[in-house]
Amino acid sequence: TLLEHVYTTHGRRKFAFVNVEVESPESEERYSCYCSFLKSKNLDPSNFPVFYGNYSYESAYAIFSSFKKTDIDFDTLIVSNDDMAYGCIDYLQKIGFNIPEDIIVTGYDDSNRCIYNHPTLTTINQQLVDQGKKAVNIGLQLLKNESVPFINYIYSTVRFRQTCGCIPKKNTSINAFLD
């Protein structure tokens, strides 16, 4: 939904992805979804740059530290988590890019920082509180020897904010548009 939004609503076509250097099932799944989306648009994922950090602000900032403005040829940066997204934003702004006018940046996690930083971060909330509640309920059912479904779904929610352009930078009255 987030990728479709950036592609359709904002008309972006020059993507890049920030992944992590270590093996992580979550980051592998995020990257796999990204590649599947590109393929669904008849775009070859190998034609788009992938950068690697370690889930930290500092690692993401360092990714682009050797880049000049003229080295950047993407207009959308999909980042594996919010901390790295802010590292990317800060460096890209330092070298003269306007977010989201020049480059849309998105994160993943919907950390508290997303609503307090400027610009506020477009991100995905994986509903950790709902996951915890569901896990406790399943545990209680199992303690009572009740049967539980083998698979339980809790759907993530996209939070559209300033870094994709859905909320103007001057507007501080709206936290996010939800999908």
Side-chain angles (χ1 to χ4, degrees):
T1 303
L2 173 63
L3 293 165
E4 185 65 46
H5 171 81
V6 171
Y7 185 89
T8 303
T9 303
H10 299 292
R12 299 302 176 104
R13 300 293 185 271
K14 296 191 285 183
F15 293 89
F17 193 87
V18 178
N19 210 342
V20 294
E21 300 163 319
V22 298
E23 283 190 35
S24 163
E26 284 188 4
S27 64
E28 288 172 19
E29 184 176 354
R30 292 171 194 173
Y31 184 66
S32 175
C33 289
Y34 167 79
C35 290
S36 294
F37 171 79
L38 292 176
K39 289 175 186 173
S40 78
K41 301 299 182 191
N42 296 315
L43 300 170
D44 182 353
S46 67
N47 291 335
F48 298 91
V50 179
F51 305 99
Y52 294 91
N54 66 11
Y55 284 126
S56 72
Y57 171 96
E58 296 79 13
S59 72
Y61 191 92
I63 288 170
F64 298 108
S65 63
S66 65
F67 282 64
K68 297 178 192 130
K69 190 171 184 179
T70 55
D71 296 329
I72 306 288
D73 65 348
F74 52 84
D75 63 13
T76 304
L77 188 59
I78 307 298
V79 186
S80 291
N81 77 329
D82 295 344
D83 283 342
M84 288 197 305
Y86 274 111
C88 294
I89 288 169
D90 286 350
Y91 189 79
L92 292 170
Q93 287 178 324
K94 177 183 173 182
I95 61 173
F97 284 103
N98 293 310
I99 309 297
E101 297 85 357
D102 300 325
I103 300 176
I104 287 176
V105 179
T106 69
Y108 195 102
D109 290 329
D110 196 23
S111 60
N112 288 336
R113 180 179 183 178
C114 293
I115 61 173
Y116 298 112
N117 265 45
H118 187 73
T120 57
L121 184 64
T122 296
T123 186
I124 296 174
N125 184 310
Q126 57 187 316
Q127 307 297 332
L128 291 176
V129 171
D130 290 346
Q131 288 181 38
K133 288 178 184 177
K134 186 66 149 179
V136 168
N137 285 332
I138 290 170
L140 292 172
Q141 287 176 286
L142 290 172
L143 285 171
K144 296 176 189 175
N145 290 322
E146 296 175 8
S147 63
V148 296
F150 185 69
I151 297 175
N152 292 271
Y153 294 96
I154 297 173
Y155 296 97
S156 298
T157 305
V158 180
R159 308 276 196 229
F160 300 109
R161 295 189 175 108
Q162 293 171 336
T163 62
C164 77
C166 283
I167 297 176
K169 288 186 209 175
K170 292 181 181 181
N171 187 342
T172 58
S173 66
I174 298 173
N175 174 340
F177 293 118
L178 306 179
D179 180 45

